[in-house]
Amino acid sequence: MQERLNQLQEEFKKDLQGSKTTKELKNLKIKYLGRKSTLTQLFAQIPALPNDQKGLWGKKLNLFKVKINLALENNVKIEDREEESLDLTFPSASCQEGSRHILTTVNEKICSIFERLGFAVIEGSEIEDEWHNFEALNIPLEHPSRDSFDTFYLDLPAKDKGKYLLRSHTSPSQIRIMKKTKPPLAVISPGRVYRPDEVDATHSFMFHQIEGFVVGEAINFAHLKGTLLYFAQEFFSCDVELRFRPHFFPFTEPSAEVDMSCIMCKGKKNKETKCSICKNKGWLEVLGCGMIHPNVLEACGINAKKYQGFAFGMGVERIVMLKYSIDDIRLFYENDIRFLKQFSI
Ligand code: DAH
């Protein structure tokens, strides 16, 4: 019996080396483990063996059976891998290519328009202190407009006084830059801002703004109007018009809100085909602006008698929503590929 087992083991070794395909390996399994195999015959002889031999032979034969199974399994795997690695025509696993987010694309487009006018792009700091976010911008502690700007405070005392907070607008960039750099200045400052707003179709606790400002000698409101008209006509369409509505911002005087003639109905206010974009008002609100308040210049150590400046601030989401007729701000942040893909370039 031992001799037959030895022969069988030798034969299996040779057969295994000679088998290449999955089919040949399957045939080996039948030959060595099938019902008519030598091994099955050997198992059948166990009951006739002397009692003290039965257990020993049971173990020996089972061990060989396990070895056969393992050898066949391993060879199948190796062979499959070889076939895969040799198939040079097999298509590669596809992976979806990403693209820039529409907010990034528009942000860069806006900045590049102002860069052509000579503005420098300087990012501010997302974590601000109360002085830069409020006081230096002529918003004292008791000012009512501070309520809607009161954002997320950090549990950390600021370096000078007050607390740190997530900035509620990009206007503090004005302060940081004016304190460090002497006029003349023309800067555009993009970035994220935070508000204590409930999320809905037009509000988000976080969105993006672009602040712009110019400081120099003899800067006046006409420079502001010319700059913003250039921007609107470059970005939206060469035939848009702007309307400056008096408004109040603590950091500018005089201040204005700027409306643009509706890009859909061109401000025609057609009564029969009511415009869904401007609701037949003919105008769309785009941004806030004004002449920098002397208190702001003085807070930065700039002589307000010698220098004047203008400033403006716009929400990037709002600009994108106007340009592409998007009616819900939440779409920008939900990562729905079907929405984002429409703007991939
Ligand atoms: N900081 C204002 C806001 O977040 C936007 C703004 C309005 C900026 C008028 C300005 C400005 O520079 O002149 O609502």
Side-chain angles (χ1 to χ4, degrees):
M1 201 154 161
Q2 183 63 52
E3 214 172 291
R4 282 191 75 190
L5 181 61
N6 290 348
Q7 274 175 6
L8 196 62
Q9 283 173 334
E10 279 305 307
E11 202 183 322
F12 176 70
K13 233 191 233 172
K14 268 188 217 148
D15 275 352
L16 188 65
Q17 278 164 4
S19 305
K20 290 200 175 69
T21 64
T22 314
K23 198 172 170 213
E24 282 171 335
L25 287 164
K26 270 187 191 152
N27 287 339
L28 275 196
K29 190 164 183 170
I30 297 168
K31 181 175 171 188
Y32 287 92
L33 299 176
R35 267 192 294 137
K36 291 181 188 152
S37 67
T38 312
L39 187 63
T40 309
Q41 286 168 16
L42 287 175
F43 269 116
Q45 290 176 18
I46 292 180
L49 290 174
N51 275 351
D52 61 339
Q53 297 278 305
K54 281 182 187 161
L56 179 76
W57 276 100
K59 270 187 200 157
K60 272 192 187 180
L61 296 182
N62 264 325
L63 189 66
F64 182 46
K65 192 176 166 182
V66 170
K67 277 186 181 163
I68 294 174
N69 268 320
L70 277 179
L72 293 176
E73 263 174 37
N74 285 344
N75 274 32
V76 168
K77 278 181 204 145
I78 289 166
E79 197 213 356
D80 281 354
R81 259 184 262 135
E82 272 168 4
E83 266 178 15
E84 248 175 48
S85 63
L86 283 176
D87 186 359
L88 301 176
T89 62
F90 199 76
S92 62
S94 71
C95 92
Q96 274 196 345
E97 211 179 307
S99 64
R100 305 179 86 94
H101 195 283
I102 181 62
L103 291 175
T104 310
T105 310
V106 167
N107 192 61
E108 284 176 3
K109 169 93 186 145
I110 296 173
C111 287
S112 80
I113 292 173
F114 283 101
E115 276 182 298
R116 258 182 277 149
L117 285 175
F119 282 69
V121 180
I122 304 177
E123 281 181 36
S125 159
E126 243 174 84
I127 295 179
E128 267 302 355
D129 56 49
E130 286 180 282
W131 188 79
H132 285 87
N133 200 69
F134 298 119
E135 274 95 334
L137 284 162
N138 204 28
I139 315 175
L141 196 55
E142 67 286 354
H143 201 286
S145 81
R146 199 147 156 165
D147 275 359
S148 58
F149 271 23
D150 253 343
T151 68
F152 304 91
Y153 285 82
L154 280 82
D155 211 3
L156 257 185
K159 216 163 64 191
D160 303 323
K161 52 179 177 159
K163 283 190 179 163
Y164 284 115
L165 73 161
L166 297 180
R167 67 174 170 193
S168 43
H169 50 169
T170 40
S171 302
S173 293
Q174 284 185 39
I175 309 299
R176 297 218 165 251
I177 295 158
M178 284 197 281
K179 265 173 58 183
K180 258 203 253 155
T181 321
K182 286 210 167 75
L185 282 169
V187 175
I188 200 92
S189 187
R192 276 189 208 122
V193 300
Y194 301 83
R195 294 282 168 92
D197 285 342
E198 290 273 345
V199 177
D200 63 21
T202 50
H203 295 88
S204 167
F205 58 89
M206 184 283 302
F207 59 98
H208 300 75
Q209 277 192 337
I210 296 185
E211 181 81 13
F213 66 96
V214 168
V215 183
E217 286 182 57
I219 295 291
N220 60 44
F221 208 91
H223 296 127
L224 170 62
K225 288 179 90 172
T227 305
L228 292 180
L229 186 63
Y230 175 82
F231 157 71
Q233 294 190 337
E234 279 290 296
F235 185 79
F236 288 104
S237 150
C238 55
D239 56 359
V240 296
E241 287 169 38
L242 294 185
R243 169 174 90 168
F244 289 71
R245 253 184 308 109
H247 195 77
F248 171 77
F249 295 108
F251 29 85
T252 42
E253 182 59 39
S255 306
E257 269 189 341
V258 179
D259 299 335
M260 172 179 76
S261 51
C262 176
I263 41 177
M264 191 61 90
C265 70
K266 308 278 178 209
K268 291 211 174 71
K269 298 198 253 178
N270 191 329
K271 271 191 194 128
E272 282 115 56
T273 55
K274 204 172 172 205
C275 178
S276 60
I277 302 294
C278 66
K279 308 278 177 293
N280 253 25
K281 288 192 192 116
W283 295 97
L284 301 164
E285 189 189 318
V286 269
L287 51 85
C289 67
M291 299 304 294
I292 300 178
H293 197 291
N295 288 356
V296 175
L297 295 172
E298 297 288 349
C300 302
I302 292 176
N303 181 351
K305 293 224 166 66
K306 186 168 176 206
Y307 294 106
Q308 298 77 43
F310 67 75
F312 56 88
M314 64 182 105
V316 181
E317 278 81 347
R318 173 148 186 87
I319 300 282
V320 180
M321 287 167 87
L322 289 175
K323 177 138 179 146
Y324 298 104
S325 306
I326 297 166
D327 58 5
D328 197 320
I329 196 171
R330 290 168 289 198
L331 288 164
F332 293 122
Y333 317 120
E334 283 168 350
N335 273 342
D336 185 336
I337 303 279
R338 291 166 305 175
F339 170 76
L340 299 173
K341 223 165 47 179
Q342 300 174 77
F343 308 102
S344 63
I345 26 172

